[in-house]
């Protein structure tokens, strides 16, 4: 299968080809790939794509996947409605 | 890594990369840029990504006008295929009091008096409602608006400059931290990093919130401190909001990016930490939820996807510190942007390169020199959030 047709990040519609291009350009950190492609920035916050990108990166730079530094897990981790923060105790 | 260079730039944000590009473009062949993490990993990439003409001091207005113009053709000019995500949906600055409206009027008058063709204007509440129909109009007595203001993607702007600079021979070193600066008498002679030393006669401090730390390395006392600012982003929505909406009175802002997500933040200078801490807090979520849903009640059903924070590099008058330093030969400053640095990076890179190469800069930025803190000639920018 053509790597242009393999979707790595479903939230942001990023293909494996795009990830490989960024790595080939010299972006060898999870942070750079995320920030330049939006891969992992969608509502699921990278639940699927993080491990795929880490694998690709590890292979490309000849390291073990455990050596690839993950990007920061940012709160609130799961999407939360603004409304949830507006209620005081007792009106839940 | 090079062992010698003509100019070493410390900091791989938009300012550092833009200076590097503009130096190389004018024929400076040995330029090295040092970044302790990755490009745009500091204030640049953490910003709210706004660009605007609507400032309240002449120099910022001149710089901003040139910078917005540069952004309009930047991707083509720098041959940057991914583009910089430019959206010119305007900035809408709300006034809830006569005092604020007066200040906005003065800003717009100043913007017009410079004959730069800035299409900013004062709006009455009906006109405000036309631009943002869902806005809670309670208490709003007017606003200033400029439809040419907008948004760019900070990572791509920085990357565009970095790639163009690299093509012209600039050496860019990430994960390279400056640990010292070598001097002979009052002259800079080199830079010490965790990866070795570089001899050079010119050093540019574009280290953002670390600007004062770098300044200490040459014995300069720079009145600049870090201040954490927080921001969050929502799930993407259908396009419904053109401008960046700001209330200086509430310290709030929100906007919709071309991607569809909303960025929103609250400035809280009284309570925010003034140290190198860029962790996010729970309190911020509560604060934003309350304040932003006041402005736009319909947003209460929108989901927050992610929050983060970054550091402003604050100076006593919320203005940058630019130019050469008379006490240390070969040392140049481009720091202290106090929260409006990203948008001016493209043009200030050109100004700095001209200063470094001994030319007359195309915008006079003398009022932003470091010595103003000794002489007391502060130059306060009133339009900051």
């Amino acid at each position: 299968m053509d790597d242009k047709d393999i979707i790595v990040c479903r939230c942001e519609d990023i293909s494996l080809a795009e990830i490989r291009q960024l790595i080939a350009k010299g972006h060898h950190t999870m942070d750079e790939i995320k920030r330049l492609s939006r891969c992992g920035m969608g509502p699921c916050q990278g639940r699927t794509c993080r491990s795929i990108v880490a694998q690709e990166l590890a292979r490309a730079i000849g390291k073990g996947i455990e050596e690839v530094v993950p990007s920061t897990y940012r709160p609130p981790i799961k999407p939360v409605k603004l409304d949830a923060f507006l209620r005081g105790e007792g009106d839940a | 890594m090079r062992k010698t260079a003509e100019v070493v730039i410390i900091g791989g944000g938009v300012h550092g990369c833009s200076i590097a590009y503009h130096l190389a473009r004018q024929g400076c062949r040995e330029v090295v840029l040092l970044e302790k993490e990755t490009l745009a990993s500091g204030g640049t990439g953490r910003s709210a990504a706004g660009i605007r003409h609507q400032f309240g001091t002449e120099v910022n207005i001149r710089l901003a006008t040139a910078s917005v113009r540069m952004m309009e053709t930047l991707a083509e000019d720098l041959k940057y295929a991914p583009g910089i995500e430019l959206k010119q949906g305007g900035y809408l600055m709300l006034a809830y009091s006569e005092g604020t409206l007066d200040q906005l009027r003065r800003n717009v008058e100043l913007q017009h008096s410079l004959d730069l063709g800035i299409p900013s204007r004062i709006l009455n509440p009906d006109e405000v409602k036309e631009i943002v129909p869902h806005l809670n109009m309670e208490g709003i007595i007017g606003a200033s608006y400029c439809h040419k203001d907008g948004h760019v993607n900070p990572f791509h702007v920085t990357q565009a400059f970095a790639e163009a600079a690299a093509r012209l021979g600039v050496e860019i070193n990430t994960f390279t931290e400056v640990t010292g600066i070598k001097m002979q008498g009052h002259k800079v002679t080199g830079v010490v990093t965790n990866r070795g030393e570089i001899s050079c006669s010119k050093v540019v401090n574009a280290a953002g919130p670390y600007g004062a730390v770098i300044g200490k390395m040459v014995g300069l006392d720079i009145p600049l401190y870090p201040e954490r600012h927080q921001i969050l982003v929502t799930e993407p929505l259908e396009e419904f909001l053109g401008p960046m909406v700001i209330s200086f009175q509430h310290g709030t802002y929100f906007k919709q990016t071309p991607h569809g997500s909303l960025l929103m933040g609250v400035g809280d200078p009284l309570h925010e930490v003034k140290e190198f801490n860029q962790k996010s807090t729970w309190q911020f979520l509560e604060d934003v939820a309350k304040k932003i849903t006041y402005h736009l009640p319909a947003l209460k059903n929108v989901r927050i996807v992610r929050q983060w924070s970054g550091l402003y590099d604050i100076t006593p008058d919320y203005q940058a510190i630019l130019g050469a330093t008379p006490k240390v030969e070969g040392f140049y400053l481009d720091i202290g942007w106090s929260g409006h640095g990203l948008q001016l990076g493209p043009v200030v890179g050109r100004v700095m390169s001209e200063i470094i190469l001994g030319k007359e800069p195309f915008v006079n930025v003398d009022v932003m020199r470091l010595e103003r803190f000794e002489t007391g000639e502060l130059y306060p920018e009133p339009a900051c959030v």
Side-chain angles (χ1 to χ4, degrees):
Chain A
M1 202 172 171
D2 193 328
D3 63 6
K4 283 194 191 69
D5 298 325
I6 300 173
I7 299 300
V8 170
C9 172
R10 294 178 294 202
C11 299
E12 298 291 335
D13 200 22
I14 316 284
S15 69
L16 185 56
E18 290 170 70
I19 300 301
R20 286 182 171 162
Q21 277 165 16
L22 285 171
I23 296 172
K25 270 177 94 177
H27 300 295
H28 291 173
T29 63
M30 295 283 286
D31 270 340
E32 286 167 290
I33 292 168
K34 173 183 166 186
R35 290 165 180 174
L36 287 169
S37 71
R38 297 196 57 84
C39 187
M41 285 192 182
C44 95
Q45 287 293 285
R47 276 172 177 72
T48 304
C49 60
R50 265 178 190 268
S51 56
I52 301 174
V53 173
Q55 251 173 53
E56 278 298 314
L57 197 51
R59 191 177 312 151
I61 61 179
K63 284 187 173 173
I65 195 163
E66 69 286 352
E67 291 175 88
V68 173
V69 179
S71 46
T72 311
Y73 287 88
R74 298 205 182 276
I77 310 295
K78 273 189 170 179
V80 181
K81 284 186 179 179
L82 279 165
D83 190 38
F85 298 94
L86 294 174
R87 302 178 203 175
E89 283 174 38
D91 28 270
Chain B
M1 197 164 78
R2 275 180 173 278
K3 294 276 164 243
T4 60
E6 198 177 328
V7 184
V8 171
I9 299 163
I10 304 171
V14 66
H15 281 261
C17 292
S18 174
I19 296 168
Y21 165 75
H22 283 101
L23 280 172
R25 198 177 155 214
Q26 289 172 83
C28 193
R29 278 291 163 252
E30 296 185 342
V31 179
V32 175
L33 184 143
L34 307 175
E35 162 56 46
K36 77 184 172 78
E37 289 179 27
T38 55
L39 298 181
S41 56
T44 294
R46 293 163 187 278
S47 75
I51 61 169
R52 56 168 156 134
H53 296 83
Q54 294 186 76
F55 282 97
T57 47
E58 179 179 338
V59 175
N60 282 340
I61 295 167
R62 288 191 186 280
L63 292 172
T65 305
S67 213
V68 173
R69 208 160 286 159
M70 223 164 145
M71 300 272 201
E72 287 170 346
T73 59
L74 193 73
E76 295 80 39
D77 294 346
L78 299 181
K79 297 181 176 57
Y80 185 69
I84 63 162
E85 220 177 83
L86 177 72
K87 168 184 173 180
Q88 286 174 295
Y91 259 54
L92 182 68
M93 298 178 164
L94 304 174
Y96 290 84
S97 74
E98 280 301 332
T100 306
L101 192 55
D102 280 347
Q103 180 65 55
L104 294 176
R105 276 195 199 104
R106 282 198 294 277
N107 295 352
V108 168
E109 272 165 29
L110 181 61
Q111 289 150 20
H112 292 176
S113 73
L114 303 176
D115 281 329
L116 298 166
I118 299 171
S120 55
R121 57 200 169 99
I122 295 292
L123 305 184
N124 65 38
D126 288 340
E127 294 167 312
V128 171
K129 191 146 181 70
E130 234 164 79
I131 292 168
V132 186
H134 306 288
L135 196 66
N136 173 12
M137 295 301 298
E138 184 189 341
I140 295 174
I141 61 168
S144 70
Y145 177 68
C146 176
H147 71 269
K148 287 270 199 152
D149 297 349
H151 161 98
V152 289
N153 180 312
F155 300 114
H156 286 297
V157 172
T158 307
Q159 195 61 31
F161 278 114
E163 289 182 17
R167 285 197 300 272
L168 292 170
V170 172
E171 183 185 276
I172 295 176
N173 296 297
T174 53
F175 297 107
T176 308
E177 185 168 358
V178 172
T179 53
I181 295 174
K182 292 200 152 178
M183 294 178 66
Q184 217 161 48
H186 297 291
K187 276 187 191 173
V188 165
T189 59
V191 173
V192 187
T193 78
N194 60 336
R195 296 177 55 214
E197 293 184 21
I198 308 169
S199 306
C200 63
S201 57
K202 289 174 179 171
V203 172
V204 186
N205 176 357
Y210 295 89
V213 177
I214 300 293
K216 278 224 165 58
M217 294 177 182
V218 294
L220 283 179
D221 220 357
I222 301 175
L224 178 155
Y225 60 89
E227 181 177 286
R228 181 177 64 188
H229 280 246
Q230 306 194 49
I231 184 166
L232 64 78
V233 64
T234 71
E235 59 192 332
L237 303 176
E238 293 283 330
E239 193 180 345
F240 75 98
L241 179 65
M244 163 86 103
V245 182
I246 291 185
S247 166
F248 291 123
Q249 263 153 294
H250 300 86
T252 45
Y253 64 84
F254 57 95
K255 69 187 249 187
Q256 187 171 29
T257 69
H259 165 263
S261 53
L262 292 154
L263 287 179
M264 47 184 83
V266 176
D268 188 8
L270 281 180
H271 301 101
E272 268 299 7
V273 293
K274 281 137 185 82
E275 54 193 47
F276 295 104
N277 168 356
Q278 41 186 19
K279 301 279 187 206
S280 302
T281 67
W282 175 263
Q283 290 82 350
F284 173 75
L285 290 179
E286 279 197 13
D287 203 21
V288 166
K290 279 192 194 114
K291 290 181 177 158
I292 304 294
T293 57
Y294 170 79
H295 293 304
L296 211 62
L299 289 182
K300 68 183 198 313
N301 289 315
V302 175
R303 287 180 176 80
I304 302 165
V305 165
R306 183 171 64 250
Q307 67 176 130
W308 70 92
S309 67
L311 303 174
Y312 278 20
D313 46 346
I314 306 266
T315 65
D317 52 5
Y318 294 91
Q319 290 278 23
I321 310 173
L322 288 185
T325 56
K327 285 180 189 163
V328 182
E329 202 182 320
F331 193 65
Y332 298 85
L333 301 172
D334 177 3
I335 47 176
W337 285 99
S338 306
H340 48 274
L342 162 73
Q343 56 190 311
L344 302 178
V347 85
V348 173
R350 180 176 158 193
V351 168
M352 286 300 297
S353 71
E354 289 162 347
I355 293 173
I356 293 162
L357 297 173
K359 302 177 183 175
E360 187 66 35
F362 86 107
V363 177
N364 186 317
V365 292
D366 280 353
V367 287
M368 289 179 170
R369 65 201 190 284
L370 177 64
E371 301 91 271
R372 73 178 184 273
F373 302 111
E374 281 179 15
T375 59
E377 293 163 285
L378 297 188
Y379 186 59
E381 172 55 58
C384 285
V385 70

